[in-house]
Amino acid sequence: IGLGKTVTVTYHDEDIADGAEVFKSVQTTAVEYVPPVLSDGSITSFSAPDQLFDGQERTLMISLENDNKAGDALNGSVELEANGQAVWVFEDLVIDPGKKLKLTHRWTAVLEDPEVAETLEWTARLIVPVETSADSTVEIPVSAASAITEVLVKVGKNKK
């Protein structure tokens, strides 16, 4: 339905006393819906190793930015998950308008079964508090990034 178009809805109302039938109509005009901006912040990049062996350690890096035009500092947290399980949370995040921030997390690959390779599906999420009423806020993910890491069996070391 195009903006400014009038929409008419006619319906049959059977819930009238004495069994009378009534048809009712209502009209409205289509208007543009602009969703609210929950945050001017975003995850601009997320890096994880493509591949590594069981027992190796690497640094994961998450880059964030708060837009130049943002009216306020970005407040929130970053959550990092692997295969749906929480790995790391950075809380009390504050980024001023126009600023960037890099977060790093040192991580060691550990296979559940040292003879079976695994694939990790990483997800990094930027979470911000959004006020829903005068005395209530909810935590909402506003930006996310993902990566995949193959953890390989360490040949000669993991065999039983």
Side-chain angles (χ1 to χ4, degrees):
I1 299 173
L3 292 177
K5 297 286 183 181
T6 300
V7 177
T8 303
V9 177
T10 302
Y11 60 96
H12 182 236
D13 190 347
E14 294 182 9
D15 204 15
I16 303 295
D18 300 329
E21 289 188 54
V22 175
F23 288 91
K24 296 183 179 180
S25 293
V26 293
Q27 284 189 334
T28 189
T29 302
V31 295
E32 182 177 10
Y33 172 72
V34 179
V37 175
L38 299 177
S39 173
D40 292 311
S42 62
I43 295 175
T44 56
S45 70
F46 170 51
S47 65
D50 292 332
Q51 225 176 48
L52 74 163
F53 287 102
D54 185 28
Q56 287 185 310
E57 187 176 277
R58 294 290 184 270
T59 298
L60 309 174
M61 187 180 318
I62 303 167
S63 298
L64 303 122
E65 180 176 19
N66 192 10
D67 191 271
N68 261 341
K69 297 176 184 173
D72 297 313
L74 169 67
N75 295 290
S77 61
V78 171
E79 297 177 353
L80 180 62
E81 293 180 350
N83 295 346
Q85 300 296 313
V87 173
W88 178 66
V89 176
F90 184 90
E91 296 179 332
D92 301 323
L93 177 73
V94 178
I95 307 173
D96 289 327
K99 300 295 181 183
K100 298 177 183 183
L101 179 67
K102 287 189 182 187
L103 303 174
T104 59
H105 175 69
R106 246 358 228 170
W107 167 76
T108 302
V110 178
L111 290 173
E112 190 172 312
D113 179 342
E115 294 185 21
V116 179
E118 294 178 20
T119 299
L120 295 177
E121 295 181 20
W122 297 100
T123 303
R125 287 187 191 86
L126 172 60
I127 311 290
V128 298
V130 175
E131 193 171 299
T132 57
S133 65
D135 59 347
S136 178
T137 60
V138 294
E139 301 287 313
I140 306 252
V142 295
S143 184
S146 60
I148 294 178
T149 298
E150 296 290 331
V151 181
L152 306 173
V153 172
K154 197 176 206 180
V155 179
K157 296 287 186 180
N158 294 351
K159 298 286 182 187
K160 291 182 180 177

